[in-house]
Amino acid sequence: MIKTMAYDDACKELARQDPIAFASWLLGRTLRQTTVLPTELGLDPIRADSVIFLDTPGTVVHIEFQTEYTSDPPLPLRMADYYIRLMRLYRQPLREVEQFIVLLKRPPVNTTIEQEYRTGRMVHRYRVVRLWEEDPGPLLQRPALLPLAALARTDSAEALLERVAERIGSEEPGLRANTLGYAKILAGLRFSEAIIDALLREELMRESVIYQRILREGEQRGREEGREEGREEGREEGRAQEARNIVLRQLVRRIGPLETPLREQVEGLSVDQLEQLGEALLDFSGPESLRQWLSEQ
């Protein structure tokens, strides 16, 4: 079982790696430059459990990642405390302080989620992002936000996780491995270990939309087979068979088991057609999508 802190820490690290992505998402505007500020606040030093400050033009963005809404001291009081300390630290030149609590997991149904701290004459407001209500679209556009996308709004959680897997698979190998690791951690808040292992496997990443790379691997295997058999045909057949097997596996995961006539049609496609199908199938919603695509070829 992954400890709660691991989820929060994963988000902190992702925000450190790409602060522009997080600040742009939360502020709702495209930023070109940010600076990560120290998380330790002055006065009597405190360090938030899961917080990162992003220095953007004229604005300090404070993000508090929370798995559990309940905390001690309460989150509203903590946000007010952070705000005062930030204003004292970064008042010259005077900057706006934008604060966000990003809730990773839906709290119990009877929980009241406050967006302000109110006591006596003081009222302090901040914004709460309920990740389970967020549109996954923007989160799917940047590698650093991809792990959070698995927790976003959806009618089909597993279909959303498949989209996340497909997007991770389109990244370069080094970045893909890093993103995949964080995605597995955060997916644990919504999915069982069995589903995570089934959909977020490195070999599946290799089979997704980096199709040119897959074809090159198939071509290399084909060359090796061709040399062994002494025939040029071996190279092409090895390349085609590799592409054919990968596309068939992708189709089964996407739309379910294929009827024999459909499978035979796919197996009869050329390498170029298989390449086109490997890209098109990401938008398929069922077997009828495949039939329509095949009828157009």
Side-chain angles (χ1 to χ4, degrees):
M1 179 68 66
I2 298 177
K3 294 182 178 179
T4 294
M5 187 62 68
Y7 301 118
D8 302 341
D9 286 344
C11 292
K12 288 165 56 180
E13 186 56 35
L14 287 166
R16 289 192 187 97
Q17 292 177 13
D18 193 349
I20 292 177
F22 276 82
S24 297
W25 167 51
L26 292 170
L27 293 174
R29 63 177 186 269
T30 301
L31 301 175
R32 300 185 181 278
Q33 182 177 359
T34 66
T35 302
V36 178
L37 300 175
T39 60
E40 185 174 282
L41 301 179
L43 310 177
D44 297 328
I46 64 168
R47 184 184 297 273
D49 288 339
S50 47
V51 65
I52 186 167
F53 305 117
L54 309 178
D55 186 13
T56 64
T59 306
V60 175
V61 180
H62 164 205
I63 310 172
E64 179 77 8
F65 298 103
Q66 286 291 133
T67 304
E68 305 292 342
Y69 179 74
T70 303
S71 71
D72 184 20
L75 274 172
L77 175 58
R78 285 167 55 189
M79 298 302 283
D81 188 16
Y82 293 145
Y83 179 82
I84 296 298
R85 291 172 183 252
L86 282 166
M87 289 299 293
R88 293 183 66 170
L89 279 173
Y90 301 108
R91 67 184 184 276
Q92 299 296 335
L94 184 63
R95 304 175 189 176
E96 291 292 329
V97 176
E98 296 280 357
Q99 291 183 292
F100 298 87
I101 296 176
V102 178
L103 291 179
L104 305 176
K105 187 174 71 171
R106 190 193 301 265
V109 292
N110 59 346
T111 302
T112 300
I113 300 176
E114 302 287 351
Q115 297 200 82
E116 66 177 24
Y117 173 72
R118 183 183 293 268
T119 179
R121 298 179 181 177
M122 177 181 175
V123 177
H124 172 64
R125 296 183 176 88
Y126 48 87
R127 284 184 267 181
V128 176
V129 176
R130 298 164 173 83
L131 195 52
W132 60 92
E133 297 178 354
E134 287 292 298
D135 177 7
L139 300 172
L140 290 165
Q141 302 307 309
R142 298 289 289 266
L145 299 175
L146 274 172
L148 277 71
L151 306 178
R153 184 181 72 239
T154 181
D155 293 329
S156 173
E158 289 190 26
L160 178 57
L161 189 60
E162 286 183 349
R163 291 179 65 191
V164 171
E166 289 162 1
R167 284 288 292 111
I168 294 175
S170 69
E171 303 299 331
E172 292 300 317
L175 183 59
R176 182 172 69 239
N178 183 62
T179 306
L180 178 60
Y182 289 116
K184 285 184 174 181
I185 292 173
L186 294 181
L189 289 169
R190 173 176 274 181
F191 301 94
S192 68
E193 186 174 336
I195 291 177
I196 294 172
D197 288 342
L199 297 181
L200 295 180
R201 297 204 311 268
E202 177 64 21
E203 56 267 32
L204 296 189
M205 302 298 99
R206 294 179 65 253
E207 292 172 6
S208 68
V209 293
I210 311 180
Y211 207 74
Q212 289 299 326
R213 179 184 174 190
I214 291 171
L215 288 179
R216 287 196 297 270
E217 292 176 355
E219 184 176 7
Q220 179 61 33
R221 291 187 180 94
R223 289 196 186 98
E224 292 172 358
E225 289 183 13
R227 283 196 298 269
E228 291 172 0
E229 298 176 10
R231 297 195 308 269
E232 182 66 20
E233 292 83 357
R235 178 173 61 186
E236 288 303 316
E237 179 56 30
R239 179 173 181 244
Q241 189 60 48
E242 180 75 9
R244 192 177 298 118
N245 291 341
I246 289 171
V247 168
L248 286 169
R249 287 198 297 270
Q250 286 183 312
L251 283 168
V252 170
R253 289 202 311 275
R254 190 69 182 176
I255 63 176
L258 301 181
E259 297 176 357
T260 300
L262 281 178
R263 175 178 287 272
E264 290 176 349
Q265 283 184 270
V266 172
E267 290 177 343
L269 295 175
S270 68
V271 171
D272 288 341
Q273 289 174 317
L274 288 168
E275 178 182 352
Q276 295 169 20
L277 178 56
E279 296 174 355
L281 65 83
L282 299 178
D283 297 321
F284 287 1
S285 58
E288 190 56 40
S289 299
L290 175 59
R291 291 191 184 93
Q292 181 177 348
W293 187 90
L294 289 169
S295 70
E296 296 171 354
Q297 301 307 304

